[in-house]
Amino acid sequence: MAELFGNILNLTWQQVVMILIGGVLIWLAIKKDMEPALLLPIGFGAILCNLPLTGAVTQIIGGTKEIGVVDTLFNAGIVNELFPLLLFIGIGAMIDFGPLLANPKLFLFGAAAQFGIFFTLSLAALLGFDIKDAASIAIIGAADGPTSIFVANFFHSNYIGAIVVAAYSYMALVPIVQPPVIKLITTKKERLIKMPYTQKEISKTTRILFPIIITVVAGLVVPRSVALVGFLMFGNLIRECGVLNSLSESAQKELANIITILLGLTISTKMQASSFLNLSTLLIMGLGLVAFVFDTIGGVMFAKFMNLFTKNKVNPMIGATGISAFPMSARVIHKMGLKEDPQNFLLMHAIGANVSGQIASVIAGGLVITLISR
Amino acid sequence: MLNISAFLGTLPVMLYGLLGIFIVIGFIILCVKLLTIAFPVKKGK
């Protein structure tokens, strides 16, 4: 009987808390439909990795080191940055850059909405985090899971588990985080600014050359971003070339889905109670929220700044869609615009700015790595 | 305890980082504008 039930006595209260946290993430994924593709595997993985003496994670059992399967996957796909980069191929294949190419000034909102990353970097350093950990925490503001994993892993951050949970949680909470911030820093008159949309066709040649040129430009200026930008743009190129439809579909569906399953489950090895349950995790969750809030503020304030000089005014809410949480942020702002004026259709502008955030966030990730590594 | 010196040390990172993003994005905008001029949609398509 002791062999059957003895392991229950090995369970610590911290592990029980982590198992409950795993349960909460699963509940959020299923009941609230919050980023279920990631939160469910992460939640289940948290349960797997916090059961004592299991084979899921590397442990010393009976004096022998046993390599756990989740750690094996972590070493195979996270330590070498493989999983996030492969996922980026799928993401690139899903993105239509058409609305952005038709109105390239929307790129500027993608740049402005990365402000939260750098603001949070300074705040995290002020609060006592080591500079590399501060950078890893700040990249939550990229609002992009693979970029957050890539940068946090590059800096060998001990907080990668909390960072990933924060990144994906806040991406799912964009409909709750962004609207109050936007309402606080804009006036009703500004939110009512109309932005008429004229569809502009983009040639196939432009669509094909765009990912190649972006890769070369980003690679020459920010070489550390080449892996992220390159894989994203490769995915987009196989979508736009027109001769690889089956590969594009596979990238968008099978590849993205397989990597998503492995990524979520694998990251949970960093959610073991001993490393996750501490004050730093709470601080990181708070800093992640700060990053998202100041991303929103950065984008909106830049739009207001632009309006000082431009004849055709920009609705400042579009600035908030410069974060990389695609397409959630675009949908949120479109709904906010309709709520203010049912005749104000901001969707295409919002989508353009939102996809620019994808590019700007990976460039920001590369810049953070470059500047902190120096 | 607040680490003021570390905070001040990150301010150049903030400056160069934001400047860097805008410079790269500015260059990308220029490339896109040139692309759309050089390769317009063919009429009739």
Side-chain angles (χ1 to χ4, degrees), chain A residues 104 107-108 111-112 114-115 118 121-122 125-126 131 201-203 205-206 209-210 214 217 221 302 363-364 367 371, chain B residues 2-4 6-7 10-11 13-14 16-18 20-22 24-25 27-29 31-33 35-36 39-41:
Chain A
F107 269 109
L108 293 170
Q114 308 312 311
F115 172 70
F118 298 96
L121 170 63
S122 297
L126 180 69
I131 188 70
E201 291 294 320
I202 301 297
S203 69
T205 309
T206 300
L209 289 176
F210 175 72
I214 296 299
V217 166
V221 181
F302 184 80
I363 292 171
L367 276 168
L371 292 168
Chain B
L2 299 177
N3 194 337
I4 306 287
F7 169 77
T10 60
L11 294 181
V13 175
M14 192 194 286
Y16 291 130
L18 286 168
I21 291 179
F22 275 98
V24 175
I25 291 293
F27 200 68
I28 289 172
I29 292 172
C31 290
V32 169
K33 286 203 182 270
L35 271 177
T36 50
F39 303 104
V41 175

Side-chain angles (χ1 to χ4, degrees), chain A residues 85-363:
Chain A
L85 292 174
L86 288 177
L87 184 58
F88 252 12
I89 297 177
I91 291 172
M94 290 178 205
I95 297 177
D96 174 11
F97 284 112
L100 181 59
L101 296 174
N103 190 4
K105 78 170 185 249
L106 293 172
F107 269 109
L108 293 170
F109 301 120
Q114 308 312 311
F115 172 70
I117 296 173
F118 298 96
F119 181 85
T120 305
L121 170 63
S122 297
L123 186 60
L126 180 69
L127 292 174
F129 284 99
D130 164 70
I131 188 70
K132 291 184 178 176
D133 283 327
S136 304
I137 293 164
I139 210 68
I140 295 171
D144 183 63
T147 305
S148 299
I149 294 168
F150 186 89
V151 173
N153 194 56
F154 182 89
F155 288 127
H156 304 294
S157 175
N158 291 323
Y159 304 111
I160 191 169
I163 287 166
V164 173
V165 171
Y168 281 110
S169 299
Y170 290 126
M171 278 160 61
L173 287 172
V174 156
I176 296 170
V177 171
Q178 285 202 305
V181 175
I182 293 169
K183 284 187 181 155
L184 197 65
I185 56 174
T186 54
T187 62
K188 179 131 178 118
K189 190 178 168 189
E190 285 171 331
R191 294 195 294 274
L192 283 170
I193 291 174
K194 272 204 164 88
M195 292 181 70
Y197 179 73
T198 323
Q199 183 151 359
K200 188 179 161 189
E201 291 294 320
I202 301 297
S203 69
K204 188 175 171 180
T205 309
T206 300
R207 286 176 177 271
I208 290 171
L209 289 176
F210 175 72
I212 301 169
I213 287 171
I214 296 299
T215 306
V216 171
V217 166
L220 288 174
V221 181
V222 191
R224 298 279 198 180
S225 71
V226 164
L228 287 166
V229 172
F231 276 63
L232 184 75
M233 291 297 135
F234 172 64
N236 192 247
L237 182 59
I238 60 176
R239 173 198 169 96
E240 296 294 351
C241 68
V243 296
L244 292 173
N245 291 337
S246 62
L247 287 193
S248 173
E249 277 190 33
S250 293
Q252 292 179 52
K253 292 178 187 158
E254 286 82 32
L255 178 66
N257 288 338
I258 289 170
I259 298 300
T260 299
I261 289 170
L262 293 175
L263 202 65
L265 208 54
T266 305
I267 277 296
S268 59
T269 189
K270 294 297 174 188
M271 288 182 70
Q272 293 175 61
S274 53
S275 53
F276 194 85
L277 271 188
N278 49 52
L279 182 64
S280 301
T281 300
L282 269 177
L283 265 177
I284 289 166
M285 299 305 277
L287 286 166
L289 181 60
V290 166
F292 268 70
V293 165
F294 279 87
D295 277 345
T296 305
I297 291 173
V300 170
M301 295 309 288
F302 184 80
K304 288 164 68 129
F305 174 74
M306 261 181 78
N307 281 345
L308 297 172
F309 307 103
T310 53
K311 203 171 83 171
N312 298 323
K313 301 295 175 197
V314 171
N315 190 311
M317 296 197 291
I318 295 296
T321 61
I323 70 170
S324 180
F326 178 84
M328 187 82 78
S329 187
R331 278 198 224 131
V332 165
I333 269 61
H334 174 61
K335 273 190 190 162
M336 283 183 74
L338 286 176
K339 207 171 165 186
E340 300 287 348
D341 175 2
Q343 299 303 313
N344 195 2
F345 299 97
L346 297 172
L347 186 64
M348 295 314 287
H349 304 285
I351 283 175
N354 212 186
V355 297
S356 81
Q358 187 71 71
I359 296 174
S361 67
V362 299
I363 292 171

Side-chain angles (χ1 to χ4, degrees), chain A residues 34-45:
Chain A
M34 269 177 62
E35 288 284 338
L38 267 308
L39 288 190
L40 192 141
I42 290 173
F44 192 78

